[in-house]
Amino acid sequence: QARPLSAVTRAPQNHSAVVPASSTWVAMEEHLSSVVSVAANSCPPRLFFIGRLIAATTFSSVTVSLVFGQLGAVSSCGPLVPAMVGSWLGYTFGLLSFWRIEVRRTQVYAKQYPKLMEHALCSQFTPWVGSRIDKPFNEWLCAGGIGRLSWAVLAAQSCASAVQELQENERQRLIDCYKLADEDDGAS
């Protein structure tokens, strides 16, 4: 015998387990941050790059779309066409901004850590990049156009955790120097 759809989809209600809304949001935020941190540690850098790209462009697209839609709602043209135009402009802006940030990061890594970038490029992308890099890395990168730059952006993603570790070690050395200077000042 068939049961009505409402009887199948209705979940049992437990009124004794009422949780305040604020603690629900905190729990959801903690869970989401743990999922993101696990994803960042277990995903290949290229996949994490694409995830960040999708998140950035989606956020930009939706934000600009909503603003344009609201502006269209108060004008005579209506909200739909302005929202679509805003979505397109927001996506384009988000995409170009994301690319600009990643290229800048790649250039900084290439300048500060050329051997690390070269190693990441040659060890992970040899079939696509080709033979060994025969010039200093910055020169090689600048002479290659968009193709080399694109591969270098992927190499920068691959060595980002190593760069972060190097920066943390440098920061710790600076802190240790300050501590030693303070101890010397206190002893005299």
Side-chain angles (χ1 to χ4, degrees):
Q1 179 172 351
R3 296 188 311 191
L5 184 60
S6 62
V8 174
T9 58
R10 191 178 319 145
Q13 295 180 359
N14 183 357
H15 295 290
S16 63
V18 176
V19 179
S22 61
S23 65
T24 304
W25 282 109
V26 170
M28 186 169 58
E29 182 180 333
E30 289 174 0
H31 179 68
L32 183 60
S33 66
S34 67
V35 167
V36 169
S37 67
V38 167
N41 293 331
S42 64
C43 287
R46 294 176 299 272
L47 181 61
F48 194 61
F49 173 84
I50 294 298
R52 290 184 313 115
L53 172 68
I54 290 170
T57 55
T58 301
F59 178 78
S60 178
S61 177
V62 168
T63 302
V64 176
S65 175
L66 288 174
V67 170
F68 274 51
Q70 288 297 319
L71 292 174
V74 297
S75 69
S76 62
C77 63
L80 295 181
V81 172
M84 290 188 297
V85 170
S87 178
W88 170 67
L89 290 174
Y91 180 83
T92 303
F93 173 75
L95 186 65
L96 294 175
S97 297
F98 188 81
W99 176 251
R100 184 180 50 83
I101 290 167
E102 293 305 316
V103 166
R104 179 68 186 132
R105 177 184 318 194
T106 300
Q107 291 169 340
V108 167
Y109 286 6
K111 184 178 179 183
Q112 293 178 350
Y113 310 102
K115 294 290 185 194
L116 185 60
M117 286 286 290
E118 183 177 346
H119 177 267
L121 200 60
C122 291
S123 66
Q124 296 180 6
F125 307 112
T126 301
W128 299 281
V129 174
S131 63
R132 189 103 176 123
I133 298 170
D134 55 352
K135 300 178 184 177
F137 189 75
N138 276 333
E139 290 178 28
W140 178 86
L141 183 59
C142 292
I146 192 76
R148 284 188 186 170
L149 184 59
S150 180
W151 288 111
V153 167
L154 286 177
Q157 296 300 313
S158 297
C159 65
S161 60
V163 168
Q164 182 179 2
E165 184 179 336
L166 288 169
Q167 290 172 345
E168 287 172 359
N169 290 342
E170 179 64 25
R171 183 179 306 123
Q172 188 58 47
R173 279 193 293 271
L174 291 171
I175 291 170
D176 292 342
C177 287
Y178 281 116
K179 286 181 180 178
L180 287 174
D182 286 344
E183 288 175 4
D184 290 342
D185 290 341
S188 31

